[in-house]
Amino acid sequence: MPATGPPRAPHERMNRPKLGVFKFASCDGCQLSILNLEDDLLAVSETLDIAYFPEASSDMREGPYDIALVEGSITTPEDLHRIVSVRERAKVLMTIGACATAGGIQALRNWSDVEAFKQAVYPSPQYIQSLSTSTPISEHVRVDFELWGCPIEKTQLMRVLIDLFAGVQPKLPTHSLCLDCKRRGMVCVLVTKGEPCMGPVTRTGCGVICPSLGRDCYGCFGPSEGAPQGEAFPPNTSSLATQFHHGLQLIPAEVLRRFRGINGYVAPFRKESQTWESRIEETTP
Amino acid sequence: MSEPQRQTRTIKIDTIARVEGEGALRVTVKNGLVDDVELRIFEPPRFFEAFLQGRHYEELPDIVARICGICPVAYQMSAVHAVESIFGVQVTGALRDLRRLLYCGEWVESHALHVYMLQAPDFLGYESGIAMAKDHAHVVTRGLRIKKAGNALMALLGGRSVHPVSVRVGGFSRAPTRRELNGLTDELLWARDAAVETVRWVAGFHFPDLDPGYTCVALQPRDEYPFNHGLLASSDGLKIPGDEFELHFSETQVAYSTALHCTLHGKRYFVGPLARINLNADRLTPLARAALDGTGVSLPLRNPFHSIIARSVEILFALEESLRLIAQYEPPPAPVEDYQVRPGVGMACTEAPRGILYHRYRVDADGIVREAKIVPPTSQNQGRIEEDLRVFLPHVLDLPDQAAALACERVIRCYDPCISCSTHFLNLEIHREDDAS
């Protein structure tokens, strides 16, 4: 991938690219991943002008920003407007994490009655302003780059920022976690322990942490993309779901829950869970 | 009042920085006296309690971790303890110690972030920890390295520090080897010494006077500093098992906030590091106790600005406790205790970095969660923050708008309020109603 310009040197203080970090509905975990850069945090702040990052600094400037990092999903009427304003002020808009990229865990509401949710949680639900859905940023504005993970992996974030400011189109691996698990010589938790591991359909990037701790992957990096067929080719979720059902004896409700989790609203996982939902409905008298 | 001709005065600050959350503050002043204080939290509701219904109990640690990226372990711990009380599982010995160790990692990480990056800049006059590093590089680097030691502990036990993956009902999915834990010792020893310096450093700050008078509430175990266990105790003499929380504490909703207000017997109370120290100072580890005594502040701590001292002492405690737990560690025979799924209702309180975190679940015979209730520390402290501001505001009403607003933010930041799910927007409005005009 050719670079469109030379990387900026850290000492070019006058022209440091401006960074803004914005938060919508989320747990703050991806922003914390930035602060968890620890060894590199001060170097990053020398290289970039952190112009807006309320979680870390009271110094907040309106923009425009060379890059806006957006955490969180859209869940309130007010945030529908705010994301448009962020987009207008950002040259490059990058989502960080499962909420901003896929709607997040709070997208579980998308299959439910939010009015009933309000009544379950609040004594006076009429005071609560909330949309009936939790949706990813890309459903509302143009997104230039999406960084997956719940939470994001901080070394991936660094990689992408370095590429962006070097004028290189960022590119991160999209293949399945399974391949990296094999490369590391891990014992397969699906085959040997019979656990419903989402590794075969989940994007690599976390560092294979669940199988390395002896448990099944639960898909927090979202769907992988098929390597032989190229980018944006969805993973074979139906094959894995069938294996869960016939091989591991999971009942349809369990298969459904497997796909309806942290990244449940993203298309490949959403379609698979809906397939199993209709199966349950067909068999329910 | 400096400008009696103005009936109302509105002070706006666009954002309260260096907290996890979105809030607005509305203050009404009548005849120069503070009449009403409303802290409004505009957190987009995420409805966790609602969508946990219908999920399997084994999924709880993975889902509730997502309530907060800053203190996921606290959510995982309260959840597994509540479910274990239903199934009658006793997690003891090395597995219990590993849970304490994981919690130590979270306290170190979370407290170090708050002390160095969020609150200390207030005392030294900077807009951020990053800006502070330009003049105090050595100090900020020290804070980041302490924080990193906490993260390393969480990553070893849980795979990563944000949303760890190894916690499960009955124990862990994998227990570490002694060799792996020993590998952290050198860095934890360094961090322990750095934590001693931290306590000394923050004790030298200038603290504004404020003594709102608190009812402190914290867990109080018999012979250790609290993480996962202990009776629920108050400075007014309450002593109850954690599962009786809802008999004494209740949540109410106010029109101006998405966070519920929790009260004890109808009164506002205070949780968090300062409350924990007040109720458990005699349970601190030796170095931590000595460091606290060396600060010159006397117990009980009554000034919310002293929370930075309490947090720093707890960093030191957690590092000392980690080293003790690692030194005595013998790997358990299995990473998880056996148990049988059975239906029932279970409750548990643990000590999140910001204070008591209460969970209750009703689980059916198939292990499906039918009901969930979660009371986080910020909802418990929200009423206290308002009370503090009520006491504090008269001292700053004569300041220019921006300075008054910043002073109020400083009070709010003492609480490290974790209002996850928010957009960081604080408008401070002071409405003055003058009878004379």
mmCIF file of all heavy atoms in Angstrom, chain B residues 412-436:
data_model
loop_
_atom_site.group_PDB
_atom_site.id
_atom_site.type_symbol
_atom_site.label_atom_id
_atom_site.label_comp_id
_atom_site.label_asym_id
_atom_site.label_seq_id
_atom_site.Cartn_x
_atom_site.Cartn_y
_atom_site.Cartn_z
ATOM 1 N N ILE B 412 -17.200 17.104 42.583
ATOM 2 C CA ILE B 412 -17.786 15.923 41.943
ATOM 3 C C ILE B 412 -16.693 14.890 41.643
ATOM 4 O O ILE B 412 -16.874 13.697 41.830
ATOM 5 C CB ILE B 412 -18.540 16.327 40.655
ATOM 6 C CG1 ILE B 412 -19.723 17.233 41.009
ATOM 7 C CG2 ILE B 412 -19.023 15.103 39.899
ATOM 8 C CD1 ILE B 412 -20.385 17.894 39.817
ATOM 9 N N ARG B 413 -15.529 15.377 41.216
ATOM 10 C CA ARG B 413 -14.436 14.456 40.854
ATOM 11 C C ARG B 413 -13.897 13.679 42.056
ATOM 12 O O ARG B 413 -13.334 12.609 41.894
ATOM 13 C CB ARG B 413 -13.300 15.202 40.157
ATOM 14 C CG ARG B 413 -13.372 15.071 38.643
ATOM 15 C CD ARG B 413 -12.055 15.426 37.984
ATOM 16 N NE ARG B 413 -11.713 16.815 38.119
ATOM 17 C CZ ARG B 413 -12.185 17.798 37.347
ATOM 18 N NH1 ARG B 413 -12.998 17.523 36.366
ATOM 19 N NH2 ARG B 413 -11.827 19.048 37.551
ATOM 20 N N CYS B 414 -14.058 14.228 43.276
ATOM 21 C CA CYS B 414 -13.627 13.487 44.474
ATOM 22 C C CYS B 414 -14.269 12.107 44.518
ATOM 23 O O CYS B 414 -13.731 11.174 45.101
ATOM 24 C CB CYS B 414 -14.040 14.216 45.745
ATOM 25 S SG CYS B 414 -13.121 15.714 46.039
ATOM 26 N N TYR B 415 -15.471 12.020 43.953
ATOM 27 C CA TYR B 415 -16.219 10.766 43.998
ATOM 28 C C TYR B 415 -15.795 9.809 42.889
ATOM 29 O O TYR B 415 -16.238 8.672 42.874
ATOM 30 C CB TYR B 415 -17.720 11.041 43.867
ATOM 31 C CG TYR B 415 -18.318 11.603 45.134
ATOM 32 C CD1 TYR B 415 -18.183 12.945 45.460
ATOM 33 C CD2 TYR B 415 -19.007 10.781 46.007
ATOM 34 C CE1 TYR B 415 -18.727 13.456 46.612
ATOM 35 C CE2 TYR B 415 -19.558 11.285 47.165
ATOM 36 C CZ TYR B 415 -19.411 12.618 47.467
ATOM 37 O OH TYR B 415 -19.954 13.110 48.618
ATOM 38 N N ASP B 416 -15.013 10.274 41.925
ATOM 39 C CA ASP B 416 -14.699 9.446 40.770
ATOM 40 C C ASP B 416 -15.987 8.828 40.231
ATOM 41 O O ASP B 416 -16.080 7.622 40.049
ATOM 42 C CB ASP B 416 -13.720 8.334 41.202
ATOM 43 C CG ASP B 416 -13.152 7.567 40.016
ATOM 44 O OD1 ASP B 416 -13.372 7.993 38.872
ATOM 45 O OD2 ASP B 416 -12.500 6.538 40.251
ATOM 46 N N PRO B 417 -17.038 9.651 40.047
ATOM 47 C CA PRO B 417 -18.311 9.025 39.686
ATOM 48 C C PRO B 417 -18.197 8.327 38.350
ATOM 49 O O PRO B 417 -17.702 8.892 37.382
ATOM 50 C CB PRO B 417 -19.290 10.195 39.622
ATOM 51 C CG PRO B 417 -18.456 11.383 39.361
ATOM 52 C CD PRO B 417 -17.126 11.116 39.994
ATOM 53 N N CYS B 418 -18.618 7.111 38.311
ATOM 54 C CA CYS B 418 -18.489 6.309 37.104
ATOM 55 C C CYS B 418 -19.867 6.207 36.490
ATOM 56 O O CYS B 418 -20.633 5.323 36.784
ATOM 57 C CB CYS B 418 -17.951 4.945 37.492
ATOM 58 S SG CYS B 418 -17.538 3.956 36.081
ATOM 59 N N ILE B 419 -20.203 7.183 35.677
ATOM 60 C CA ILE B 419 -21.527 7.244 35.076
ATOM 61 C C ILE B 419 -21.411 6.724 33.652
ATOM 62 O O ILE B 419 -21.781 7.385 32.716
ATOM 63 C CB ILE B 419 -22.055 8.690 35.080
ATOM 64 C CG1 ILE B 419 -21.764 9.370 36.415
ATOM 65 C CG2 ILE B 419 -23.538 8.725 34.801
ATOM 66 C CD1 ILE B 419 -21.777 10.882 36.327
ATOM 67 N N SER B 420 -20.856 5.533 33.529
ATOM 68 C CA SER B 420 -20.633 4.954 32.188
ATOM 69 C C SER B 420 -21.891 5.091 31.374
ATOM 70 O O SER B 420 -22.960 5.059 31.920
ATOM 71 C CB SER B 420 -20.358 3.471 32.298
ATOM 72 O OG SER B 420 -19.070 3.265 32.694
ATOM 73 N N CYS B 421 -21.720 5.154 30.138
ATOM 74 C CA CYS B 421 -22.836 5.312 29.205
ATOM 75 C C CYS B 421 -23.244 6.758 29.187
ATOM 76 O O CYS B 421 -24.335 7.106 29.564
ATOM 77 C CB CYS B 421 -24.090 4.541 29.555
ATOM 78 S SG CYS B 421 -23.916 3.305 30.753
ATOM 79 N N SER B 422 -22.401 7.621 28.821
ATOM 80 C CA SER B 422 -22.800 9.004 28.897
ATOM 81 C C SER B 422 -22.029 9.816 27.897
ATOM 82 O O SER B 422 -21.188 9.332 27.183
ATOM 83 C CB SER B 422 -22.491 9.533 30.266
ATOM 84 O OG SER B 422 -21.104 9.466 30.403
ATOM 85 N N THR B 423 -22.346 11.085 27.850
ATOM 86 C CA THR B 423 -21.745 11.915 26.830
ATOM 87 C C THR B 423 -20.969 13.066 27.427
ATOM 88 O O THR B 423 -20.621 13.995 26.737
ATOM 89 C CB THR B 423 -22.838 12.465 25.914
ATOM 90 O OG1 THR B 423 -23.888 12.915 26.742
ATOM 91 C CG2 THR B 423 -23.336 11.407 24.979
ATOM 92 N N HIS B 424 -20.677 13.018 28.684
ATOM 93 C CA HIS B 424 -19.824 14.018 29.310
ATOM 94 C C HIS B 424 -20.295 15.434 29.058
ATOM 95 O O HIS B 424 -19.655 16.200 28.355
ATOM 96 C CB HIS B 424 -18.389 13.905 28.799
ATOM 97 C CG HIS B 424 -17.822 12.563 28.953
ATOM 98 N ND1 HIS B 424 -17.226 12.142 30.113
ATOM 99 C CD2 HIS B 424 -17.766 11.532 28.111
ATOM 100 C CE1 HIS B 424 -16.815 10.913 29.970
ATOM 101 N NE2 HIS B 424 -17.131 10.513 28.765
ATOM 102 N N PHE B 425 -21.397 15.788 29.603
ATOM 103 C CA PHE B 425 -21.885 17.133 29.351
ATOM 104 C C PHE B 425 -22.409 17.690 30.649
ATOM 105 O O PHE B 425 -23.381 17.202 31.186
ATOM 106 C CB PHE B 425 -22.988 17.098 28.291
ATOM 107 C CG PHE B 425 -23.287 18.439 27.724
ATOM 108 C CD1 PHE B 425 -22.539 18.939 26.681
ATOM 109 C CD2 PHE B 425 -24.307 19.203 28.254
ATOM 110 C CE1 PHE B 425 -22.809 20.190 26.160
ATOM 111 C CE2 PHE B 425 -24.576 20.456 27.734
ATOM 112 C CZ PHE B 425 -23.827 20.944 26.682
ATOM 113 N N LEU B 426 -21.739 18.653 31.204
ATOM 114 C CA LEU B 426 -22.218 19.253 32.438
ATOM 115 C C LEU B 426 -22.517 20.718 32.213
ATOM 116 O O LEU B 426 -21.667 21.497 31.837
ATOM 117 C CB LEU B 426 -21.190 19.138 33.565
ATOM 118 C CG LEU B 426 -21.677 19.768 34.871
ATOM 119 C CD1 LEU B 426 -22.460 18.786 35.707
ATOM 120 C CD2 LEU B 426 -20.541 20.322 35.685
ATOM 121 N N ASN B 427 -23.763 21.081 32.412
ATOM 122 C CA ASN B 427 -24.105 22.496 32.478
ATOM 123 C C ASN B 427 -24.299 22.827 33.934
ATOM 124 O O ASN B 427 -25.125 22.209 34.591
ATOM 125 C CB ASN B 427 -25.430 22.777 31.780
ATOM 126 C CG ASN B 427 -25.298 22.625 30.294
ATOM 127 O OD1 ASN B 427 -24.264 22.973 29.720
ATOM 128 N ND2 ASN B 427 -26.323 22.090 29.672
ATOM 129 N N LEU B 428 -23.544 23.756 34.429
ATOM 130 C CA LEU B 428 -23.841 24.231 35.773
ATOM 131 C C LEU B 428 -24.674 25.493 35.617
ATOM 132 O O LEU B 428 -24.242 26.466 35.021
ATOM 133 C CB LEU B 428 -22.555 24.538 36.544
ATOM 134 C CG LEU B 428 -22.770 25.261 37.873
ATOM 135 C CD1 LEU B 428 -23.594 24.426 38.842
ATOM 136 C CD2 LEU B 428 -21.446 25.622 38.500
ATOM 137 N N GLU B 429 -25.885 25.424 36.103
ATOM 138 C CA GLU B 429 -26.741 26.612 36.041
ATOM 139 C C GLU B 429 -26.987 27.068 37.464
ATOM 140 O O GLU B 429 -27.436 26.294 38.292
ATOM 141 C CB GLU B 429 -28.094 26.272 35.413
ATOM 142 C CG GLU B 429 -28.003 25.812 33.978
ATOM 143 C CD GLU B 429 -29.378 25.392 33.472
ATOM 144 O OE1 GLU B 429 -30.390 25.835 34.055
ATOM 145 O OE2 GLU B 429 -29.422 24.622 32.506
ATOM 146 N N ILE B 430 -26.671 28.314 37.732
ATOM 147 C CA ILE B 430 -27.026 28.859 39.042
ATOM 148 C C ILE B 430 -28.139 29.873 38.828
ATOM 149 O O ILE B 430 -27.969 30.869 38.132
ATOM 150 C CB ILE B 430 -25.815 29.525 39.730
ATOM 151 C CG1 ILE B 430 -24.720 28.484 39.986
ATOM 152 C CG2 ILE B 430 -26.253 30.178 41.042
ATOM 153 C CD1 ILE B 430 -23.509 29.032 40.716
ATOM 154 N N HIS B 431 -29.309 29.558 39.350
ATOM 155 C CA HIS B 431 -30.434 30.488 39.243
ATOM 156 C C HIS B 431 -30.565 31.251 40.549
ATOM 157 O O HIS B 431 -30.700 30.643 41.601
ATOM 158 C CB HIS B 431 -31.732 29.716 38.952
ATOM 159 C CG HIS B 431 -31.766 29.193 37.558
ATOM 160 N ND1 HIS B 431 -32.245 29.918 36.516
ATOM 161 C CD2 HIS B 431 -31.320 28.024 37.041
ATOM 162 C CE1 HIS B 431 -32.131 29.218 35.391
ATOM 163 N NE2 HIS B 431 -31.562 28.062 35.683
ATOM 164 N N ARG B 432 -30.486 32.554 40.457
ATOM 165 C CA ARG B 432 -30.630 33.351 41.676
ATOM 166 C C ARG B 432 -32.006 33.987 41.694
ATOM 167 O O ARG B 432 -32.418 34.633 40.743
ATOM 168 C CB ARG B 432 -29.568 34.452 41.716
ATOM 169 C CG ARG B 432 -28.143 33.933 41.791
ATOM 170 C CD ARG B 432 -27.189 35.107 41.921
ATOM 171 N NE ARG B 432 -25.811 34.685 41.763
ATOM 172 C CZ ARG B 432 -25.062 34.184 42.745
ATOM 173 N NH1 ARG B 432 -25.594 34.010 43.938
ATOM 174 N NH2 ARG B 432 -23.811 33.843 42.528
ATOM 175 N N GLU B 433 -32.716 33.793 42.771
ATOM 176 C CA GLU B 433 -34.018 34.435 42.924
ATOM 177 C C GLU B 433 -33.909 35.365 44.116
ATOM 178 O O GLU B 433 -33.664 34.941 45.234
ATOM 179 C CB GLU B 433 -35.113 33.393 43.174
ATOM 180 C CG GLU B 433 -35.336 32.509 41.969
ATOM 181 C CD GLU B 433 -36.305 31.377 42.270
ATOM 182 O OE1 GLU B 433 -37.056 31.493 43.264
ATOM 183 O OE2 GLU B 433 -36.287 30.395 41.528
ATOM 184 N N ASP B 434 -34.057 36.647 43.834
ATOM 185 C CA ASP B 434 -33.824 37.645 44.876
ATOM 186 C C ASP B 434 -35.128 38.284 45.291
ATOM 187 O O ASP B 434 -35.823 38.870 44.485
ATOM 188 C CB ASP B 434 -32.894 38.733 44.308
ATOM 189 C CG ASP B 434 -31.800 39.048 45.285
ATOM 190 O OD1 ASP B 434 -32.105 39.025 46.487
ATOM 191 O OD2 ASP B 434 -30.676 39.314 44.832
ATOM 192 N N ASP B 435 -35.504 38.150 46.550
ATOM 193 C CA ASP B 435 -36.749 38.743 47.017
ATOM 194 C C ASP B 435 -36.746 40.267 46.867
ATOM 195 O O ASP B 435 -37.760 40.885 46.608
ATOM 196 C CB ASP B 435 -36.991 38.394 48.490
ATOM 197 C CG ASP B 435 -37.467 36.958 48.620
ATOM 198 O OD1 ASP B 435 -37.663 36.318 47.552
ATOM 199 O OD2 ASP B 435 -37.623 36.483 49.749
ATOM 200 N N ALA B 436 -35.540 40.858 47.017
ATOM 201 C CA ALA B 436 -35.432 42.319 46.963
ATOM 202 C C ALA B 436 -35.719 42.853 45.572
ATOM 203 O O ALA B 436 -36.134 43.995 45.418
ATOM 204 C CB ALA B 436 -34.039 42.747 47.399
#
